[in-house]
Amino acid sequence: MTHATLGDIIAHIEKLWPTEYAESWDSNGLATGDLNARVSTILMALDPMDAVIDEAVSLKAELLFTHHPLLLRGVTSVAAHTLKGGALTRLISHGIAQYNAHTNADSAQGGVSDVLADMLELTDRQPITSGPNHPEGVGLGRVGTLPQPRTVSELAHTLARSTPATKTGIRVAGDPNATVSRVAVLAGSGDSLFDEVRAHGADVYVTSDLRHHPATEARDISHRTSNTPHLIDVAHWAAESPWMSIAATQLGEKLKENGFDVDIHVSTTRTDPWDLRIPSHDDAQGEDDHGTHA
């Protein structure tokens, strides 16, 4: 086995999740690090939060690979007392590079949304939306067909069992008893793609971070037509974090195939932001009827 440099690792990352698949507004790639530095240990995590960086320090990792970017929007200071500056200071002081693959990993085949689609065993998949120069099968989200029709409630319960538990659980908008066959999924914030989801004829849309106005308007439009899509909201962290283990396996196999000896760990730090949920007075009945428990 050969020792790998950061440049070697990034070359393999970008073969798995090409940067050209990323959305134009996104931030992907190397936030800090020396391409010639040796990497023997990688920590994979969804979010580059302080607790995750602490975990990387404890592991003596030389690379923190995340899905979400550390520097998505511009900053005017990287002083150590600021949020982003503090993270960068700690990473640099411990010799830890930081790299992320965000919407390129969402769009790539076998990526974040495919992992969510696998939980529902969707067949005949295609992206919800794809860039003009993307290869076939590459793009944001997935839409496909269930092996057999199921109710919205059954799908919600399947997702509750298949994703990590969160305090917010699974939310449903629409008829929980409706039978559905065609399902669209987008792991992460997906309420900007309702038009595309409807164009694909999806009966139900599984995504995260559904806001009040887009969700209510989507249901209003649905009521005027076919009453679809029904909506299933999965917590952002729960929908995306299962990909990290898949990504670690994929990257590890590629590195090993090319003779590189690298130890890869998946973060055990929970980065879902919600710590407490106070049920409404009729919440127990709602969970029984609509499958909203985690």
Side-chain angles (χ1 to χ4, degrees):
M1 287 291 182
T2 305
H3 296 308
T5 66
L6 178 60
D8 294 327
I9 303 294
I10 290 175
H12 286 81
I13 287 172
E14 293 183 354
K15 288 177 183 176
L16 287 166
W17 309 290
T19 55
E20 59 265 30
Y21 293 173
E23 297 296 294
S24 60
W25 53 265
D26 198 12
S27 175
N28 294 273
L30 190 63
T32 183
D34 179 351
L35 293 176
N36 295 313
R38 177 176 163 179
V39 174
S40 58
T41 303
I42 301 173
L43 178 64
M44 311 277 283
L46 192 70
D47 299 296
M49 295 177 64
D50 287 347
V52 172
I53 294 173
D54 289 343
E55 188 179 358
V57 170
S58 296
L59 282 171
K60 295 182 170 54
E62 295 92 5
L63 172 61
L64 172 60
F65 176 100
T66 64
H67 179 47
H68 293 142
L70 176 61
L71 301 172
L72 178 59
R73 297 177 179 85
V75 295
T76 58
S77 171
V78 290
H81 68 275
T82 64
L83 178 64
K84 301 299 183 180
L88 285 168
T89 297
R90 187 152 171 76
L91 287 165
I92 292 169
S93 66
H94 287 276
I96 303 172
Q98 199 275 322
Y99 185 101
N100 85 285
H102 191 207
T103 52
N104 48 326
D106 292 329
S107 292
Q109 290 185 319
V112 185
S113 286
D114 270 319
V115 173
L116 191 60
D118 287 343
M119 295 177 189
L120 300 177
E121 301 179 312
L122 298 185
T123 62
D124 302 321
R125 299 178 196 175
Q126 59 183 298
I128 295 174
T129 183
S130 183
N133 298 317
H134 287 174
E136 185 177 355
V138 171
L140 292 178
R142 295 292 182 266
V143 59
T145 304
L146 293 168
Q148 58 186 24
R150 303 177 67 189
T151 67
V152 173
S153 179
E154 288 172 337
L155 289 184
H157 277 280
T158 295
L159 290 164
R161 291 189 298 269
S162 303
T163 58
T166 62
K167 292 299 181 182
T168 51
I170 308 292
R171 302 186 299 175
V172 174
D175 181 0
N177 297 313
T179 300
V180 296
S181 296
R182 192 156 173 80
V183 181
V185 302
L186 192 148
S189 304
D191 62 16
S192 64
L193 295 180
F194 282 128
D195 288 343
E196 290 83 354
V197 168
R198 280 190 290 269
H200 282 288
D203 302 316
V204 61
Y205 183 28
V206 179
T207 188
S208 304
D209 300 336
L210 289 174
R211 296 168 294 167
H212 175 83
H213 294 297
T216 54
E217 289 173 4
R219 290 303 301 152
D220 257 3
I221 292 173
S222 298
H223 292 152
R224 294 167 188 260
T225 54
S226 62
N227 202 32
T228 58
H230 307 279
L231 308 178
I232 299 178
D233 185 288
V234 181
H236 196 128
W237 174 80
E240 292 189 334
S241 58
W243 175 72
M244 301 313 305
S245 294
I246 304 297
T249 299
Q250 291 174 334
L251 180 58
E253 289 174 350
K254 287 294 182 185
L255 292 172
K256 188 174 181 179
E257 286 172 7
N258 287 275
F260 292 113
D261 182 18
V262 181
D263 191 17
I264 302 179
H265 299 259
V266 178
S267 174
T268 58
T269 301
R270 179 188 181 87
T271 56
D272 183 69
W274 306 109
D275 299 313
L276 177 66
R277 174 175 175 266
I278 308 298
S280 301
H281 70 280
D282 61 347
D283 192 58
Q285 181 65 33
E287 290 183 2
D288 290 342
D289 290 345
H290 305 313
T292 57
H293 68 285

